[in-house]
Amino acid sequence: MTDPVVRLSGVTKSFGAHTAVSEFDLTIPRGTILGLLGPNGSGKTTTIRMMMAILLPDRGTVELLGGFPDFSRRARVGYLPEERGVYVKMKVLDQLVFLGELRGMARPVVRRRAMEWLERLGLGEWASKKVQELSKGMQQKVQFIGTVLHDPDLLILDEPFSGLDPINQDVLESIVREQREQGKTILFSTHLMEQAERMCERVCLISKSRKVLDGNLKKLKRRERSGVVAIEFEGDDRWLLRMGFTDPERVGDAYHLAVSDTATQDRLLAGAVAEGVSLRRFEVLEPSLHEIFVRHAGEQSDEPPLRAAGGAR
Amino acid sequence: MRQVWVVLRREYLERVKTKGFIIGTLAMPVLLLGFVGLTAFMGVQAERSEREISLIDLTGQIGDAVASGMADVGYDLEVVGTDVGLEELDRRVVDEEIAGYVILDDLTLNEGAFAYRGLDFPGTVRRALLERFVKETVLDMHLSSVGSESAVRRLLSGGGMTFESLGEEQGEMERITGIATGIAGAMVLYITMILYGAYVLRAVLDEKRNRVVEVVLSALSPWRLMLGKILGVGLMGLTQVGIWVACAAMIGLLGVPMVAAALPAADLSEIAEFLPGLGALGLLLVFFILGYFLYSSLFAAVGAMCNTEEEAQQAQFPVITLLIAPFMMQMMTLGGRAPGWMDWAAVFPFFSPVMMYPRAVAGSVPWWMVALSLVLMAVAVVGTAWVAGRIYRVGILMQGKRPTLREVVRWIRVA
């Protein structure tokens, strides 16, 4: 694990009175899949655009592949912007060849590779059709090919799966995974938590222009254990009351109990045994990403963040 | 530079391959052909219905034959006796009783040359017909009589009409040709600047609106992208204008004689005198290139500032005004002499294409003024490209509302 592929430190960007991204720090190590998560308007796209030097931060520094995101570095990135942009009047293959050549690839090489990709994504027979004749989903696939065509070290995908049907989402997901296996680093933004949970090794949550938290997804989940135990058993639930769990929440067959620490956990388990309850299930629940997010984003909005108070002038 | 080339090639090919381009390019010569044909036809009609011309034959040998030849093709000549005298004929011309008269003398007998005196030029077709019948008649005479071989040879190589103007100005022909070329050139420049400027504007705006530009700009600098686009559209423009000029030349060299040949007339290759010379064409190219760069970079900047077609319509207004103003000035002074300050207005780089080109071709300004305007245009091209490049660089990635003038100024200063 050498230098990080992307490093943002203290990045802030405002548009007029509106602060789009505030005091943002993020490090992406080589060879991971990182999901940038947040609701619409939370600053995901602005952050990505700063990584690509489409926007320059008001404050802070952006490093891409070890330095300022200049052309030579950006040329090693595959960038899929949020807004789907294609030359609709151009033929599919011509368009891909154009994009490849812009990045310095030789014409025959791009042509061959673009054809391979088109075949692979089931667009082979569309190669000489104009882009505007394709469906939205197909256009999106063409654009995705344009992103990976030049074999970039880093993929930056802004909402890559939005607007795709489930089948094509799966196809694209598997390609993203495969790229990861080839040692590439992938950053993608999404507002779909389930997807991020399925795909990411690391996540970075943003809400209201600030980073809420980031890190390895598994570790995050372990750390963020909700303190909820799901318990299922035979018989009535009066023993729970006797033990002081006055307000169990019923979820299907299970009871969800708030358990603040491991001692309480142990007490609960011991109590069940002592009462002779026949347990079917006893599970310390891991929170979903969604829950983690809501929890942290909620905190964020309730109390004004200290850093901003000290840092903003 | 390779990236500029890639952008240029895409821009060029994608445009040249469209149906619109092909149709637009071909429609123009067809229209032109129709126009030329119509003018030629109407010109002949006008010449025929003009006031009579007379013919005075000082040799007394060939006048009637020439007149009857002309009458056969619909041009009447009144043959007057030598007793009338040249002074009397001059008077008739000046008093506008007749349009002019042809003088046949000894030189005509020897070389086929003759003079025509009138206030105005007798008209292209009439002139050609006169020359043909005079030559034929004299040739007949020599062949049927004691004509020597050398006389025939002289006759074949020489001949032709001399125009002796009784109007105010000499060399009217050249002046008219120059003015016509200049006006046609100014029109071409005006139309192409507006047309190709609008293409550039659209190209930039489309790319910005569908956000392709974000992907493209991850691989090359805005400046190169702008340059590539402008060059691509410009090359397409040159292709189109080139095809037009080639067609016009063909129409001129082949078409007009064909039209004239459909009438019973002879060799009309003299028509070439009406066509602009290579010098005028070369100058047109220079003015086109400089003017195009000047305006297209402005249009590119406007496109980069806007988000919608409607915004662009409004925002391009100042640029369009810069084009229309000189065109109006030029057209207002078409007939008469332009006031002297206009020659100086023509030196203003943004006015130069439309105003200086016609002056340069007509030779109505000193050469150093033409040179000055070219230098100023070149300087302005660099300056405009610099400013426009900065606006473009910031604007192309800016979404949302249209920037205010103050913001644009800040882009230029800060970016």
Side-chain angles (χ1 to χ4, degrees):
Chain A
M1 291 287 148
T2 48
D3 290 343
V5 175
V6 176
R7 193 195 333 244
L8 306 183
S9 39
V11 168
T12 301
K13 178 75 188 175
S14 310
F15 298 107
H18 169 68
T19 305
V21 174
S22 176
E23 296 292 331
F24 201 92
D25 298 305
L26 177 67
T27 306
I28 307 179
R30 194 172 292 276
T32 51
I33 302 190
L34 180 132
L36 194 57
L37 306 175
N40 297 329
S42 54
K44 298 188 297 281
T45 296
T46 305
T47 307
I48 286 179
R49 287 175 150 204
M50 283 191 285
M51 288 178 198
M52 290 306 290
I54 291 169
L55 296 171
L56 296 178
D58 298 338
R59 266 178 295 134
T61 54
V62 176
E63 275 179 40
L64 186 78
L65 299 165
F68 180 81
D70 57 11
F71 296 113
S72 63
R73 294 202 172 88
R74 263 146 54 185
R76 286 158 57 203
V77 176
Y79 171 53
L80 184 79
E82 180 189 20
E83 323 260 351
R84 303 289 170 253
V86 272
Y87 292 110
V88 288
K89 299 234 162 86
M90 258 183 125
K91 287 176 183 163
V92 172
L93 187 60
D94 288 352
Q95 167 133 328
L96 293 172
V97 169
F98 170 70
L99 288 174
E101 279 196 290
L102 264 191
R103 284 157 176 143
M105 293 169 77
R107 188 170 256 257
V109 178
V110 209
R111 187 170 276 276
R112 181 168 44 75
R113 214 181 282 173
M115 257 341 272
E116 284 166 12
W117 273 107
L118 286 171
E119 295 290 350
R120 185 159 169 208
L121 290 183
L123 292 171
E125 65 219 69
W126 297 85
S128 55
K129 291 273 195 317
K130 283 189 180 173
V131 175
Q132 62 188 0
E133 294 169 38
L134 273 60
S135 73
K136 268 249 156 17
M138 288 196 265
Q139 290 186 13
Q140 203 166 330
K141 287 202 275 183
V142 170
Q143 214 193 353
F144 183 81
I145 297 175
T147 311
V148 292
L149 190 61
H150 57 297
D151 201 19
D153 301 336
L154 167 67
L155 291 178
I156 296 184
L157 314 170
D158 200 352
E159 298 277 359
F161 306 102
S162 68
L164 283 180
D165 60 60
I167 295 170
N168 280 312
Q169 271 193 29
D170 285 350
V171 173
L172 235 56
E173 271 191 37
S174 68
I175 291 175
V176 170
R177 283 211 188 82
E178 179 196 282
Q179 295 275 317
R180 156 76 186 80
E181 275 150 31
Q182 290 170 13
K184 285 174 186 159
T185 312
I186 293 141
L187 166 94
F188 75 93
S189 76
T190 181
H191 58 273
L192 302 175
M193 301 291 167
E194 303 78 43
Q195 187 164 48
E197 245 176 317
R198 200 161 58 231
M199 290 189 62
C200 296
E201 292 161 85
R202 295 174 70 88
V203 288
C204 171
L205 305 183
I206 326 185
S207 165
K208 304 206 171 99
S209 321
R210 332 188 137 260
K211 185 170 84 175
V212 177
L213 67 153
D214 76 319
N216 181 292
L217 183 60
K218 284 201 186 97
K219 284 186 190 154
L220 201 63
K221 283 196 160 186
R222 220 167 293 149
R223 201 180 73 205
E224 292 288 325
R225 266 184 193 151
S226 49
V228 172
V229 169
I231 182 167
E232 280 179 48
F233 50 85
E234 308 287 340
D236 70 31
D237 58 3
R238 265 171 298 178
W239 67 276
L240 282 176
L241 272 175
R242 282 199 292 279
M243 289 200 60
F245 294 97
T246 49
D247 148 46
E249 183 192 355
R250 284 215 64 156
V251 179
D253 285 341
Y255 292 78
H256 284 191
L257 305 175
V259 177
S260 49
D261 50 41
T262 42
T264 321
Q265 217 177 74
D266 294 343
R267 195 164 61 79
L268 176 64
L269 193 56
V273 174
E275 292 273 350
V277 178
S278 91
L279 281 177
R280 282 207 305 269
R281 176 179 167 214
F282 187 94
E283 184 187 354
V284 181
L285 286 185
E286 285 201 334
S288 71
L289 204 46
H290 180 75
E291 282 166 329
I292 296 178
F293 184 79
V294 168
R295 192 182 306 158
H296 285 267
E299 279 171 20
Q300 276 277 325
S301 57
D302 289 338
E303 52 196 72
L306 293 170
R307 260 189 100 170
R313 270 271 61 91
Chain B
M1 248 18 232
R2 178 159 180 257
Q3 289 178 321
V4 176
W5 165 246
V6 172
V7 174
L8 184 161
R9 194 184 50 204
R10 190 199 86 82
E11 203 65 40
Y12 178 76
L13 289 179
E14 287 303 309
R15 281 173 191 285
V16 170
K17 281 192 298 195
T18 58
K19 283 201 196 79
F21 176 83
I22 295 167
I23 292 171
T25 307
L26 294 183
M28 193 72 157
V30 171
L31 284 177
L32 192 67
L33 190 63
F35 181 73
V36 168
L38 197 68
T39 356
F41 177 73
M42 283 179 20
V44 170
Q45 291 300 318
E47 282 176 15
R48 280 179 175 161
S49 63
E50 258 172 24
R51 264 171 290 117
E52 290 248 316
I53 67 168
S54 300
L55 182 147
I56 182 163
D57 182 9
L58 301 176
T59 67
Q61 296 179 47
I62 52 175
D64 291 331
V66 172
S68 76
M70 289 293 282
D72 286 345
V73 294
Y75 286 86
D76 286 326
L77 278 178
E78 181 208 4
V79 181
V80 297
T82 46
D83 54 311
V84 177
L86 298 186
E87 291 81 8
E88 167 61 12
L89 285 169
D90 284 352
R91 187 197 60 75
R92 287 185 193 172
V93 171
V94 174
D95 291 350
E96 303 196 358
E97 289 168 22
I98 54 172
Y101 64 99
V102 175
I103 310 165
L104 305 178
D105 52 18
D106 288 341
L107 198 62
T108 317
L109 287 187
N110 287 328
E111 294 176 8
F114 63 98
Y116 172 87
R117 282 190 188 173
L119 292 176
D120 299 309
F121 193 73
T124 327
V125 177
R126 176 141 59 188
R127 168 206 185 167
L129 290 173
L130 275 171
E131 289 180 345
R132 169 182 154 192
F133 286 116
V134 167
K135 213 176 220 178
E136 271 181 10
T137 312
V138 176
L139 203 57
D140 272 353
M141 193 190 76
H142 279 278
L143 290 174
S144 61
S145 66
V146 287
S148 68
E149 196 189 324
S150 65
V152 173
R153 190 159 290 146
R154 265 207 310 280
L155 200 59
L156 286 172
S157 64
M161 184 190 90
T162 326
F163 173 54
E164 294 179 0
S165 172
L166 296 176
E168 282 167 20
E169 286 201 42
Q170 295 292 324
E172 193 72 359
M173 251 308 265
E174 285 71 20
R175 208 175 74 88
I176 289 173
T177 308
I179 290 176
T181 311
I183 290 168
M187 293 276 279
V188 167
L189 287 169
Y190 172 72
I191 292 170
T192 49
M193 303 280 120
I194 285 206
L195 193 64
Y196 302 141
Y199 276 137
V200 170
L201 175 80
R202 275 295 295 271
V204 170
L205 190 64
D206 283 351
E207 208 165 68
K208 175 175 175 176
R209 276 196 341 195
N210 69 17
R211 320 286 170 113
V212 184
V213 76
E214 288 192 11
V215 180
V216 173
L217 283 189
S218 70
L220 84 171
S221 73
W223 173 244
R224 286 185 190 173
L225 179 62
M226 182 172 118
L227 188 64
K229 290 200 102 57
I230 287 179
L231 287 175
V233 174
L235 205 60
M236 175 211 73
L238 276 182
T239 309
Q240 194 162 45
V241 173
I243 292 174
W244 290 344
V245 167
C247 286
M250 263 161 60
I251 290 169
L253 293 174
L254 305 170
V256 171
M258 272 164 60
V259 170
L263 304 162
D267 174 27
L268 282 194
S269 63
E270 292 88 348
I271 199 89
E273 280 174 31
F274 282 105
L275 293 173
L278 277 180
L281 272 180
L283 201 59
L284 185 69
L285 187 69
V286 172
F287 271 93
F288 172 79
I289 290 173
L290 287 172
Y292 170 74
F293 273 113
L294 202 54
Y295 277 101
S296 60
S297 53
L298 286 183
F299 277 111
V302 170
M305 279 191 283
C306 300
N307 298 299
T308 65
E309 205 97 349
E310 293 74 34
E311 269 178 28
Q313 292 288 339
Q314 288 175 18
Q316 68 173 341
F317 183 71
V319 184
I320 298 275
T321 308
L322 271 182
L323 267 168
I324 292 180
F327 187 71
M328 297 294 267
M329 282 196 259
Q330 191 59 32
M331 289 299 130
M332 278 187 311
T333 54
L334 251 189
R337 285 221 162 276
W341 62 266
M342 273 205 190
D343 290 346
W344 285 104
V347 176
F348 179 56
F350 290 95
F351 291 178
S352 290
V354 176
M355 291 183 77
M356 187 51 87
Y357 178 73
R359 283 172 170 71
V361 175
S364 65
V365 289
W367 69 266
W368 60 264
M369 263 178 115
V370 180
L372 177 66
S373 84
L374 287 175
V375 170
L376 285 182
M377 275 172 80
V379 172
V381 164
V382 175
T384 331
W386 187 82
V387 170
R390 291 182 153 234
I391 296 178
Y392 181 84
R393 191 159 72 174
V394 182
I396 193 73
L397 293 168
M398 202 61 86
Q399 303 290 341
K401 73 172 184 55
R402 202 173 110 201
T404 60
L405 195 60
R406 192 190 299 169
E407 280 172 313
V408 173
V409 171
R410 210 184 57 211
W411 293 356
I412 297 169
R413 291 225 311 266
V414 178

